[in-house]
Structure formats: C-alpha cells, structure tokens
Amino acid sequence: MSASIIGQQAVVENLLIALLANGNILMEGLPGLAKTRAVKSLAKNMEADFSRIQFTPDLLPSDITGSEVLYSESGQPSFRFEPGPIFANIVLADEINRAPAKVQAALLEAMEERQVTVSGSTHKMPDLFMVMATQNPIEQEGTYPLPEAQMDRFLMHVYIDYPDEASEAQIIRLVRGEEGQGGTAAPAEPIPQQVVFDARREIHRVAVSEAMENYIVDLVFATRFPERYEEELARWIHVGASPRGGLSLDRCARVYAWLQGRQHVVPEDVRAICHVALRHRLKLSYDASADGVSANEVIDRILALVAVP
C-alpha cells in the first residue's frame, strides 16, 4: 500500500488499525488526496471482495442493501433476495454525505449489527466486513451532514492532508509510470483473510493493565466533564464522547501496541490513536467555533491536562 499511496503513511497505518480492530472508518479530506485510492489499494492486496458505492442524492436504500425480486420457475412465482453492493468484504462508501438520511441509515444496521434486514428476513454479512466511507469537507451544496448517531458508529475518523513537496514529486512519477504500464500492477500474492483473523486473535491477547483502563476512562470523562480540568475547555465542548469512544480507544490502542511488537498497552499507544478515535465523537460549542478551535486542538488540550499513569 505504501508503494501506491505516497506521502500518506499515517493513512495507511490507520486503515490497517481499523481492519485489525474489526471496525469501520470514516476518511475525510480535500479532493484528489487518494482517499478512494487508499481503500482500493487495501482491497487489492487482500483476498477480499471489494465493492464501491457512489453515493448520490437520488440513491435508494435498496440500491445498497438489495431487494426481493420476483422470479418465475416452472410457472410458480417466488421472491428471491438479490444482495446489494453492501455484501462484500471491503465496502467503499464514496462521498457518503451526498446521500439523504434514509440512505445513510441503510448502512447503520450493517455497520453495527453486521447484518441486513430486508422484507422481514435477516441476511448476515461476511466474516470479514469493513465499511470505509469518504467525504469531502469543503463542498456543502447538495450534501447531507452525517448525524451524530451515525458518526459514532465509525471506529475511527481519519483526516487526510496535503503531501509534502518530496512526496508530491514522487506522486507525479508514480502516476506517470502507471500510465506507461497501463495501470497499477496487481500484487503477486494477496494476503489471505485467515491472516487477518489470526492477527485479531493475537491482538485480543494484548494485555491492558488497570492503570491503562483508568487512563482511557479519564480521557473519555474529560470530554464529558471538562469543567473538572479547565474552565476554557468546558467552554469548548458541548457534548462529550459516548461509551463507544472508550471502546474505540481500547481496541485501537491494543492494535497499535501489537503493530509496535508489544504484548501490552502503554500510554503512548493510547495517545497515538486518541485523535482518530475521539475527534468525530465530540460536539464542539459555538464558543469553540468563535475561537477558531478545532476538535484536534481540544483533544490536544485534554491530553495535556489528563494525568499520564
């Protein structure tokens, strides 16, 4: 993935963390910053079914989940479920904020319950299932902002920024070379799905001490009761993180520790993933908007105020 996604090492790492943590990821960034390319690169390097859904204002929920179709066999009519594009291992929900709320809600059951209910029948998702949604933060015309309830169902929120000068030159050379070869080359040996399942079992055995659990709880509660730490912080936060925030910190911190070769979580692991795990779960106040304070800056302040064990 790093060979085809230049200058976005943090994005590649966060995609792997979400995959190993068995969660869904929301990627936000300006146009042309390889959001779609990153998801496609992950799917291409695995033995996995890939599905891309381009969200548009006229999309219907059945276009995502599938529907019951009337068939006639030997003169006997019967309904048969035709699965939609959501039934894949890796699902790219491209520009998810361009679809209305009814269509966005069609993803909720699949993301949270790993199943889809159509016409009273429940259909399970594959064992390896991951939704990667993208959205453009600058174009608001014709878009439908994701509600807090759906934002909370994403394990991580990854923001993609511009690459540096050296990476920009490498990107130009990379694309020029791909054009000469007729497209990106497929990997020699895609990674089997069983490798991911084996890694998840190892990650489950990564130890989290009571001190680390208390540190995670303190960080989450600092978003809910910021007045305990600082008056200015209390002005900035309107609604804090839900219990899913603590669960996300725990899961992502264990994956991050495992990727670093450790069998136990240390404070640096929690701090490394705190922004991607909590930034989309905070609802900032009007005071924060007036002061020009972002969610990242609020989390920076929380990390500075909460005592490290």
Side-chain angles (χ1 to χ4, degrees):
M1 290 178 62
S2 297
S4 61
I5 311 297
I6 307 297
Q8 303 288 359
Q9 186 60 35
V11 174
V12 174
E13 184 178 70
N14 286 324
L15 283 174
L16 294 178
I17 291 175
L19 175 67
L20 295 174
N22 195 20
N24 306 297
I25 189 170
L26 175 64
M27 293 193 297
E28 185 173 351
L30 298 173
L33 294 183
K35 298 185 296 293
T36 303
R37 183 184 176 97
V39 179
K40 287 183 175 180
S41 178
L42 175 62
K44 183 182 69 175
N45 286 278
M46 294 186 59
E47 290 181 355
D49 295 329
F50 173 72
S51 179
R52 180 179 182 272
I53 307 172
Q54 181 64 53
F55 280 68
T56 57
D58 59 347
L59 202 66
L60 298 175
S62 59
D63 295 332
I64 298 175
T65 61
S67 59
E68 297 282 345
V69 179
L70 181 63
Y71 284 88
S72 179
E73 295 181 1
S74 302
Q76 297 295 325
S78 62
F79 283 95
R80 183 189 307 168
F81 177 68
E82 288 293 334
I86 191 68
F87 287 90
N89 299 123
I90 297 178
V91 179
L92 171 58
D94 215 356
E95 295 187 292
I96 188 174
N97 57 333
R98 289 202 175 277
K102 183 182 294 186
V103 179
Q104 294 175 4
L107 288 174
L108 290 179
E109 185 180 14
M111 290 169 56
E112 188 71 14
E113 307 295 335
R114 304 301 172 97
Q115 65 182 27
V116 167
T117 303
V118 178
S119 300
S121 300
T122 300
H123 307 274
K124 297 291 184 182
M125 311 306 297
D127 292 335
L128 179 65
F129 176 73
M130 183 180 184
V131 173
M132 299 182 182
T134 69
Q135 65 177 6
N136 183 343
I138 60 171
E139 293 182 351
Q140 302 302 323
E141 185 177 354
T143 63
Y144 304 82
L146 293 175
E148 284 76 8
Q150 185 161 352
M151 291 282 286
D152 201 34
R153 283 170 167 79
F154 287 101
L155 180 73
M156 303 168 66
H157 178 207
V158 178
Y159 188 81
I160 306 178
D161 206 351
Y162 287 121
D164 55 27
E165 292 91 338
S167 298
E168 192 83 23
Q170 292 183 44
I171 292 171
I172 294 174
R173 289 193 294 269
L174 174 66
V175 175
R176 186 192 303 137
E178 291 177 351
E179 290 174 350
Q181 298 172 3
T184 58
E189 292 186 12
I191 299 173
Q193 294 186 19
Q194 189 59 43
V195 174
V196 177
F197 299 143
D198 293 341
R200 287 175 179 176
R201 280 194 291 270
E202 290 188 17
I203 292 167
H204 185 70
R205 294 193 291 267
V206 173
V208 182
S209 66
E210 184 177 352
M212 287 298 98
E213 290 177 350
N214 293 335
Y215 185 47
I216 291 174
V217 171
D218 289 342
L219 290 173
V220 173
F221 269 69
T223 68
R224 301 176 189 170
F225 306 101
E227 64 276 1
R228 297 179 181 177
Y229 294 89
E230 190 179 62
E231 182 179 347
E232 188 173 40
L233 186 64
R235 289 179 49 248
W236 291 342
I237 301 178
H238 180 60
V239 179
S242 72
R244 287 195 184 101
L247 295 173
S248 177
L249 283 173
D250 174 69
R251 290 164 62 184
C252 294
R254 283 187 283 122
V255 174
Y256 189 86
W258 183 82
L259 289 173
Q260 307 305 313
R262 288 191 294 270
Q263 292 300 314
H264 63 280
V265 174
V266 297
E268 287 72 20
D269 301 325
V270 179
R271 298 171 68 88
I273 52 86
C274 192
H275 292 81
V276 295
L278 294 183
R279 72 159 65 100
H280 58 300
R281 307 180 195 277
L282 301 182
K283 185 175 179 59
L284 303 186
S285 65
Y286 290 109
D287 289 334
S289 179
D291 294 344
V293 176
S294 65
N296 283 340
E297 293 172 315
V298 172
I299 295 174
D300 286 338
R301 192 63 186 154
I302 290 174
L303 291 173
L305 291 172
V306 175
V308 180

